[in-house]
Amino acid sequence: MDEILTRNFCIIAHVDHGKTTLSDRLLEHTNTVEQRVLTDQHLDAMDLEKERGITIKSHPVTMHYRAKDGRTYKLNLMDTPGHVDFSYEVSRSLAACEGAVLLIDAAQGVEAQTVANAHLATGQNLKVIPVINKIDLPSANLDLCLQQLEDILFIPHDEAILASGKSGIGIQDILEAVVTRIPPPRWRDHKGTRALVFDSLYDSYRGVITYARVFSGALRAGDGMTLMSTGQKAEIKEVGIFTPKMVKIDMLGEGDVGYVVSNIKDTSDIKIGDTITLTRQPATEMLPGYKEVRPMVFCGLYPLESNDYEKLKAALGRLRLNDAAFQYQSESSIALGFGFRCGFLGLLHMEIIQERIRREHDVEIISTYPSVVYHVKAHGLPEIDVDNPVLLPDPGTIEYIAEPTIRASILIPNTSMGDILSLIMEKRGVIDHTDTLDANRVMLTAILPLNEILVDFNDRLKSVTHGYGSMDYELGEYKADDLVKMDILINGEPVDAFSSIVHRSKAEGKGRELCEKLAEIIPPQMFRVAIQAAIGGKIIARENVREMRKDVTAKCYGGDITRKRKLLEKQKEGKKKMKQIGKVSIPPDAFIQVLKN
Ligand code: GTP
């Protein structure tokens, strides 16, 4: 087979180790983008990405580089999302490459994500090029980084390239290493065309644009294509590459990375990790590693103002167009009215979507507590998935409830060991093993229930380690445990938005906390109101709402009767807008206040 002057690679790194800055340097050095066109960070397009400093969507770029051997190579650089919520997307971007540049911040050294990413890359059989970055920093500790490379990642230290994306040191060395160390495109000898789908984007004029890496054969406009996971057929309208702008070309051939526009209209028809083949001469086997992505974390999203419902619905529809991993369907709640049940890959994904709804679509929303997906088996029925506690079968019939666990790699300073061990225990985790990284740091591997890290695990980790701890995780197995549904009752009536599935050992504490919050927020009523937390029929916590009538006229001393009447009328009006839970009137935003903090 002919030699092929294409190299496909990605840059992987822990957050903030300088991936975007370095990518920009590579584009500049290969004259792919002129310096004046480079905004300070070219590859991170979305504002939100810039603000949060994390790359959410991968953008590939094709560069041309004239190497020291005198030949011009086509280099396709894939920018991979670094966060664990997007780990399937990362693994598909990696699968589209033959090599990876692994960045290590010279001042920070190896971090939890560096290790996780390096494992992902070697798991895909990629050639890893280690780069110690930011060597311009006065706090750079090269010896330590080189030592860690050998001890933790098992990469010989003499393979490392020293670089600084900021000062432009080592850029050419990196490009040369990409050309000489990374193998040419693999799997070209397969009979039939195979291209890997690693991303997609929705364009309001052209519909769904699929990002693909061709392994064997070729894709051209006019060809009929088939998506192998579903057998869905479509017609290719256009193919092209990213420079980083989309530029139309005649054909995407072996080893090429580019985009495909077809007559597919719905983003959900394009699945990341799927294989595109030609309809007239289909490949017999898909590319390896395809997996259907399923949301792992669910919550209810409700408009703060009920007349924003349609606006929220439109916003969710638009977000979904560009993000097939995000799911939603309508639901209603006694406490919160009409809204949507939404599914996300993880917590960060959830936060990003919520923030985009607020910011880009200008809808104020309230979200219910996040929940994971439980596997539930009731007598005589098949096992079902439950992502909303309200849908749990009758407790008397339940045989078991199993919850998802994660395998977390937690990197901490030695001095925080005691605090972290108690945090892990509190979160029902167990330590699998510990590795000493260097004189000051250890890496713990722990198995924890996913549900327990949803709310504040990361914040607490950061706080007990004074910001030095970091964590990455992969999903583990489902495990059955003593999990129960806890209801919150107001005067005997359950309030759906506050139902949750909790571990029995934690039910009482959590129940008491919620009852206290509600008792504080619900205004005094004409009669005594009990707020209770219950498991099945058993009450595990109870608070009372004060019993009294708020005298709104108390402030009006003197005898201005018209003013008094006005105030009383206002109070009556206020009452009309109240939510009724049984006989109890509750201001509509009371629930929101509880969910907010
Ligand atoms: P994520 O997208 O969040 O993963 O970040 P990133 O890895 O793309 O890092 P980015 O390029 O955004 O850089 C993170 C910070 O490090 C920024 O403040 C950069 O200015 C700084 N930085 C990047 N490269 C260098 C470098 O070589 N030297 C120094 N001193 N600072 C750098």
Side-chain angles (χ1 to χ4, degrees):
M1 191 161 275
D2 314 336
E3 202 184 347
I4 168 168
L5 301 181
T6 301
R7 297 292 182 268
N8 292 320
F9 73 109
C10 54
I11 302 181
I12 52 181
H14 189 76
V15 174
D16 276 349
H17 281 198
K19 196 172 70 180
T20 309
T21 309
L22 187 82
S23 309
D24 281 349
R25 281 288 167 174
L26 299 179
L27 300 192
E28 199 184 296
H29 196 89
T30 53
N31 297 318
T32 310
V33 181
E34 284 173 49
Q35 199 165 2
R36 68 188 157 79
V37 186
L38 279 173
T39 53
D40 67 325
Q41 296 193 330
H42 201 93
L43 292 180
D44 282 346
M46 285 195 257
D47 268 1
L48 201 61
E49 286 190 34
K50 276 192 183 158
E51 219 162 280
R52 292 180 160 247
I54 44 165
T55 311
I56 299 166
K57 277 280 174 187
S58 12
H59 315 270
V61 187
T62 303
M63 305 179 271
H64 293 277
Y65 171 63
R66 195 174 158 81
K68 285 188 181 151
D69 66 8
R71 299 190 289 186
T72 299
Y73 289 80
K74 192 196 284 180
L75 307 183
N76 292 312
L77 165 61
M78 327 277 294
D79 193 19
T80 53
H83 194 273
V84 50
D85 278 7
F86 307 99
S87 71
Y88 179 66
E89 288 187 20
V90 179
S91 91
R92 293 305 85 199
S93 299
L94 296 183
C97 303
E98 278 76 29
V101 170
L102 176 70
L103 288 190
I104 298 169
D105 185 320
Q108 305 292 327
V110 167
E111 305 256 13
Q113 246 177 43
T114 321
V115 179
N117 280 326
H119 285 164
L120 274 179
T122 38
Q124 301 284 344
N125 288 321
L126 303 194
K127 171 70 196 169
V128 173
I129 302 172
V131 171
I132 314 286
N133 191 30
K134 306 197 189 178
I135 58 162
D136 61 299
L137 285 174
S139 51
N141 186 344
L142 299 184
D143 290 341
L144 180 70
C145 291
L146 294 172
Q147 189 67 44
Q148 289 179 339
L149 208 55
E150 298 217 338
D151 294 350
I152 305 166
L153 302 174
F154 308 110
I155 299 175
H157 73 266
D158 52 6
E159 289 190 12
I161 297 173
L162 304 184
S164 162
K166 198 165 192 170
S167 341
I169 304 166
I171 303 303
Q172 183 152 13
D173 294 343
I174 295 174
L175 289 165
E176 281 298 319
V178 166
V179 166
T180 55
R181 295 193 208 170
I182 295 177
R186 53 183 161 171
W187 302 337
R188 288 155 58 209
D189 54 0
H190 189 86
K191 280 200 192 68
T193 296
R194 293 200 297 181
L196 175 73
V197 174
F198 59 87
D199 206 353
S200 70
L201 173 119
Y202 187 81
D203 179 284
S204 40
Y205 297 106
R206 296 194 285 180
V208 186
I209 299 177
T210 308
Y211 294 11
R213 147 82 199 263
V214 179
F215 280 87
S216 54
L219 300 174
R220 294 181 184 79
D223 284 342
M225 67 175 221
T226 302
L227 289 158
M228 293 183 78
S229 76
T230 54
Q232 184 175 359
K233 296 184 173 34
E235 192 195 323
I236 299 178
K237 302 266 187 215
E238 180 183 319
V239 296
I241 55 166
F242 300 91
T243 68
K245 276 199 314 276
M246 286 190 205
V247 175
K248 180 176 165 181
I249 58 170
D250 291 339
M251 174 188 102
L252 285 177
E254 287 172 0
D256 283 345
V257 173
Y259 69 88
V260 176
V261 181
S262 68
N263 54 353
I264 290 178
K265 290 278 171 292
D266 191 344
T267 333
S268 55
D269 290 339
I270 301 283
K271 301 208 161 50
I272 291 180
D274 205 347
T275 303
I276 298 177
T277 192
L278 292 182
T279 308
R280 65 182 138 82
Q281 257 175 343
T284 47
E285 222 181 297
M286 282 179 76
L287 289 159
Y290 173 71
K291 187 168 89 174
E292 179 110 24
V293 272
R294 295 232 175 85
M296 288 306 298
V297 175
F298 284 78
C299 74
L301 293 185
Y302 291 82
L304 261 188
E305 300 290 333
S306 54
N307 40 16
D308 272 349
Y309 177 83
E310 286 301 326
K311 214 168 147 189
L312 175 59
K313 188 173 170 187
L316 296 176
R318 292 204 63 87
L319 288 166
R320 158 90 194 159
L321 278 179
N322 255 329
D323 188 348
F326 164 58
Q327 297 186 354
Y328 68 96
Q329 64 184 67
S330 54
E331 72 169 7
S332 65
S333 142
I334 303 166
L336 301 169
F338 290 100
F340 300 89
R341 190 83 193 154
C342 302
F344 312 90
L345 295 174
L347 268 194
L348 181 78
H349 189 211
M350 178 172 93
E351 277 174 34
I352 288 169
I353 296 267
Q354 292 187 5
E355 220 160 299
R356 293 185 66 184
I357 294 171
R358 295 195 180 100
R359 241 187 243 202
E360 294 166 25
H361 299 274
D362 196 25
V363 187
E364 277 307 314
I365 46 169
I366 186 78
S367 113
T368 62
Y369 293 120
S371 163
V372 298
V373 182
Y374 294 91
H375 289 171
V376 181
K377 170 91 178 72
H379 293 313
L381 294 170
E383 186 182 270
I384 52 166
D385 285 357
V386 173
D387 62 52
N388 186 346
V390 174
L391 304 176
L392 215 55
D394 175 17
T397 67
I398 292 177
E399 281 173 22
Y400 63 80
I401 301 180
E403 62 182 342
T405 62
I406 58 157
R407 185 181 182 79
S409 314
I410 305 170
L411 197 157
I412 51 159
N414 293 343
T415 47
S416 315
M417 192 68 167
D419 291 331
I420 293 293
L421 290 181
S422 37
L423 175 62
I424 290 174
M425 234 163 68
E426 181 196 323
K427 299 292 185 184
R428 299 193 284 124
V430 288
I431 304 282
D432 191 70
H433 59 271
T434 53
D435 296 301
T436 306
L437 291 193
D438 52 54
N440 305 315
R441 299 185 307 163
V442 263
M443 173 87 87
L444 302 176
T445 307
I447 312 292
L448 289 140
L450 174 61
N451 185 44
E452 294 286 341
I453 63 155
L454 285 188
V455 181
D456 61 353
F457 190 83
N458 218 4
D459 292 345
R460 302 246 323 254
L461 170 69
K462 291 279 173 210
S463 109
V464 295
T465 58
H466 307 287
Y468 290 110
S470 60
M471 178 181 83
D472 208 321
Y473 66 81
E474 54 188 283
L475 290 170
E477 294 166 351
Y478 267 79
K479 284 206 179 113
D481 211 330
D482 193 5
L483 299 163
V484 288
K485 178 181 174 203
M486 182 176 75
D487 290 312
I488 298 292
L489 315 173
I490 295 184
N491 241 15
E493 300 269 340
V495 184
D496 51 5
F498 296 113
S499 292
S500 56
I501 295 175
V502 289
H503 194 262
R504 197 182 294 275
S505 63
K506 296 204 158 181
E508 202 181 315
K510 195 175 165 203
R512 179 160 311 124
E513 196 187 322
L514 262 173
C515 289
E516 279 169 11
K517 265 194 206 163
L518 277 166
E520 214 172 274
I521 281 168
I522 296 175
Q525 305 277 322
M526 299 290 283
F527 47 90
R528 173 183 286 209
V529 175
I531 299 181
Q532 298 162 310
I535 297 176
K538 188 166 167 264
I539 305 299
I540 54 165
R542 176 191 170 115
E543 288 287 324
N544 291 323
V545 175
R546 272 171 306 150
E547 176 187 352
M548 151 178 129
R549 182 175 177 214
K550 192 174 168 198
D551 188 354
V552 289
T553 61
K555 269 189 253 151
C556 308
Y557 359 90
D560 182 350
I561 187 71
T562 52
R563 180 155 161 70
K564 253 187 194 167
R565 190 172 297 138
K566 252 192 207 153
L567 277 169
L568 283 169
E569 261 162 26
K570 224 175 173 182
Q571 190 190 36
K572 224 159 119 204
E573 222 172 71
K575 272 213 180 109
K576 257 192 252 153
K577 286 198 214 121
M578 297 266 177
K579 272 210 161 89
Q580 289 297 133
I581 301 280
K583 283 193 300 178
V584 187
S585 343
I586 297 172
D589 64 347
F591 297 115
I592 291 165
Q593 281 181 46
V594 175
L595 287 171
K596 253 185 192 160
N597 47 50

